[in-house]
Amino acid sequence: MLVDKRGKKYLLKKNVDKLGTDLGVVDLKNKELGSVVKSHLGHEFYYIEPTLYDILKRMKRTVTTLLPKDIGFIIARGGIREGETVLEAGTGSGALTIFLANAVGKSGKVITYERRPEFAKVARTNLLKLGLIKKNQPIVGLDEEFNDDIDIEDGLFNVIMKIGDVREGIEEKDIDVIVLDMPDPWEVVEHAKEALNKKRGRIITYLPYIEQVKKTVEKLKSEGFWDIQTYELIERVIEVSEKGVRPSTRMIGHTGYITFARVPPR
Ligand SMILES: C[S@@+](CC[C@H](N)C(=O)[O-])C[C@H]1O[C@@H](n2cnc3c(N)ncnc32)[C@H](O)[C@@H]1O
């Protein structure tokens, strides 16, 4: 990634040699990451690695993706850790998938269901660029070959993508965590009860409307799920200037309600 003095970020394709900007052309040949480079007009740029957050903000989207405040909380309150197997639906653009895959690491796994192939294909490119799926890795249930020119050598490669409606059933067993960002998760609760590992299985749902939360919690209770708790997170950016320090006058309003529950032991 290049960053100019105004703070503008330019995410680069792999092995790119030159980048044209309104501050001039930056030649990256033989330049080292972590250095300051100059454009042909003499403007300075930081030449650094992007964080996952930088990538998330610029990735291709087909649907509304989860925000970092909600992603971080899902992982922390959900206790999602290295080595766990997480099942997710739906994949959407893959924003949550990226962070789940990084949380469970190389020894863990994320199985992500998406019912719309056109969304899954966009998410696939996002995940491929981050080394979370292998080059030419097919999407399970989609009869299509991929001939990608992106080739990441040292990725986590811990995501399995599937086309499917998760309300119709979950094939996998012994899942540690099920995360549902879809409109009707109560339709999945019975399948989740079967698929979740009884030792530490958890379910997490993300929903925009409170009526959906009520229906979900009622279903979870009737199926014996316990430790049920719903949250909403408010994020405020704090502006620090010479005049003073205060919250930004603009803020993100409501995003979604996040519900956590644990599967009952047998
Ligand atoms: C709000 S988006 C998910 C966004 C995703 N969490 C992200 O951060 O990019 C919801 C997705 O769930 C998919 N979906 C809805 N119902 C589904 C179902 N029953 N099974 C599988 N996918 C489903 C939709 O097609 C849509 O792509």
Side-chain angles (χ1 to χ4, degrees), residues 65-66 90-96 114-115 119 164-167 181:
T65 59
L66 288 195
T91 316
S93 307
L96 177 59
E114 172 55 58
R115 67 175 174 187
F119 291 175
D165 185 334
V166 76
R167 293 171 304 184
D181 178 8

Side-chain angles (χ1 to χ4, degrees), residues 184-236:
D184 43 9
W186 51 88
E187 301 281 1
V188 187
V189 170
E190 283 172 48
H191 306 312
K193 199 172 161 181
E194 289 307 307
L196 283 167
N197 172 335
K198 300 290 183 284
K199 288 179 285 186
R200 56 171 191 259
R202 293 90 84 194
I203 187 168
I204 306 169
T205 65
Y206 176 89
L207 292 162
Y209 297 106
I210 207 81
E211 291 84 353
Q212 292 167 299
V213 174
K214 188 162 183 277
K215 218 166 161 180
T216 305
V217 170
E218 280 169 358
K219 183 69 182 169
L220 286 167
K221 282 185 181 165
S222 73
E223 290 298 326
F225 280 75
W226 62 286
D227 203 9
I228 305 171
Q229 192 87 62
T230 301
Y231 301 83
E232 180 185 16
L233 273 80
I234 311 291
E235 175 182 312
R236 292 208 301 181

Side-chain angles (χ1 to χ4, degrees), residues 56 59-67 71 88-98 112-120 123 126 162-168 179-184 187-188 206:
L56 181 76
M59 73 181 207
K60 202 168 167 199
R61 281 147 213 265
T62 47
V63 291
T64 311
T65 59
L66 288 195
L67 294 186
I71 294 175
E88 178 201 24
T91 316
S93 307
L96 177 59
T97 323
I98 290 168
T112 182
Y113 280 63
E114 172 55 58
R115 67 175 174 187
R116 295 189 49 181
E118 69 276 25
F119 291 175
N126 290 333
K162 291 181 82 165
I163 296 296
D165 185 334
V166 76
R167 293 171 304 184
E168 287 169 8
V179 189
L180 302 172
D181 178 8
M182 52 176 281
D184 43 9
E187 301 281 1
V188 187
Y206 176 89

Side-chain angles (χ1 to χ4, degrees), residues 8-214:
K8 186 172 171 190
K9 296 172 177 172
Y10 308 79
L11 216 54
L12 304 169
K13 288 201 172 135
K14 241 195 153 196
N15 304 326
V16 77
D17 276 348
K18 266 186 189 162
L19 184 81
T21 75
D22 60 332
L23 299 178
V25 178
V26 188
D27 187 349
L28 294 165
K29 227 179 277 167
N30 304 324
K31 300 287 191 313
E32 264 183 43
L33 276 167
S35 62
V36 178
V37 293
K38 277 189 180 171
S39 72
H40 82 291
L41 297 176
H43 292 284
E44 287 189 341
F45 290 76
Y46 286 161
Y47 181 36
I48 52 168
E49 278 184 10
T51 64
L52 282 184
Y53 177 70
D54 295 320
I55 295 167
L56 181 76
K57 287 196 80 172
R58 286 160 191 80
M59 73 181 207
K60 202 168 167 199
R61 281 147 213 265
T62 47
V63 291
T64 311
T65 59
L66 288 195
L67 294 186
K69 73 174 174 84
D70 295 319
I71 294 175
F73 192 61
I74 286 172
I75 290 171
R77 171 62 178 83
I80 299 173
R81 64 174 168 85
E82 190 171 6
E84 289 198 310
T85 299
V86 179
L87 188 138
E88 178 201 24
T91 316
S93 307
L96 177 59
T97 323
I98 290 168
F99 289 89
L100 290 173
N102 277 277
V104 300
K106 237 186 174 114
S107 58
K109 188 163 55 177
V110 178
I111 303 146
T112 182
Y113 280 63
E114 172 55 58
R115 67 175 174 187
R116 295 189 49 181
E118 69 276 25
F119 291 175
K121 283 195 245 174
V122 173
R124 185 183 175 281
T125 307
N126 290 333
L127 299 177
L128 182 67
K129 282 183 185 163
L130 285 161
L132 299 176
I133 61 169
K134 291 214 166 104
K135 183 178 154 86
N136 300 337
Q137 181 178 317
I139 300 173
V140 178
L142 188 71
D143 192 14
E144 190 170 322
E145 275 187 26
F146 294 96
N147 297 306
D148 309 294
D149 58 357
I150 305 161
D151 199 3
I152 308 282
E153 281 149 33
D154 56 346
L156 288 171
F157 306 126
N158 59 355
V159 176
I160 296 165
M161 299 187 71
K162 291 181 82 165
I163 296 296
D165 185 334
V166 76
R167 293 171 304 184
E168 287 169 8
I170 296 173
E171 286 172 0
E172 295 76 9
K173 294 274 171 270
D174 205 24
I175 302 292
D176 296 309
V177 189
I178 295 181
V179 189
L180 302 172
D181 178 8
M182 52 176 281
D184 43 9
W186 51 88
E187 301 281 1
V188 187
V189 170
E190 283 172 48
H191 306 312
K193 199 172 161 181
E194 289 307 307
L196 283 167
N197 172 335
K198 300 290 183 284
K199 288 179 285 186
R200 56 171 191 259
R202 293 90 84 194
I203 187 168
I204 306 169
T205 65
Y206 176 89
L207 292 162
Y209 297 106
I210 207 81
E211 291 84 353
Q212 292 167 299
V213 174
K214 188 162 183 277

